[in-house]
Amino acid sequence: MFGKDMMAKLQKMQEQAQLSKEKLDTIIVRGEAGGNLVEVEMNGNRKLTNLSINTALDQMDKSDLEDLLSVALNRAIQAADAANEKEMANSAKGLIPGM
């Protein structure tokens, strides 16, 4: 069904995917909201690595804080998605014709 050539290509793709995942663990992206009142960091694999609230909690309304957290998290996720897509496309270039 699969020739040796196809199996070798599949093995190479699997190895490249693992290397990309490891590289994405080292890429840190950020999202912020409210003029840096809330800052979120995550890696390229979309794992939250840091969350900072840069104001006293008694200075902020609960719903405002929730909104800021939501905005900052969404921005960080978008940045992580972009980093992930870029890395996966780069890793596939040599393995998949036409990429």
Side-chain angles (χ1 to χ4, degrees):
M1 185 173 182
F2 285 122
K4 288 183 182 180
D5 202 36
M6 181 60 83
M7 292 300 288
K9 284 183 181 181
L10 289 172
Q11 179 68 26
K12 180 77 171 164
M13 288 175 73
Q14 190 174 34
E15 290 170 5
Q16 191 62 42
Q18 182 61 34
L19 289 172
S20 292
K21 185 177 186 295
E22 290 170 7
K23 183 176 178 183
L24 285 165
D25 276 337
T26 67
I27 295 172
I28 301 297
V29 297
R30 291 172 178 78
E32 64 79 28
N36 291 326
L37 286 176
V38 174
E39 295 174 302
V40 172
E41 291 182 357
M42 60 179 49
N43 68 23
N45 285 313
R46 300 173 196 95
K47 180 180 177 190
L48 184 66
T49 58
N50 191 38
L51 171 66
S52 298
I53 300 172
N54 301 314
T55 187
L57 291 177
D58 62 356
Q59 300 292 316
M60 188 174 286
D61 180 284
K62 178 183 179 284
S63 64
D64 290 340
L65 179 58
E66 290 170 345
D67 289 343
L68 291 173
L69 282 167
S70 192
V71 168
L73 282 166
N74 283 328
R75 287 178 177 168
I77 289 168
Q78 288 174 340
D81 284 346
N84 194 291
E85 286 176 25
K86 182 179 178 182
E87 177 58 30
M88 291 302 164
N90 285 340
S91 70
K93 272 185 184 173
L95 299 173
I96 301 173
M99 289 289 291

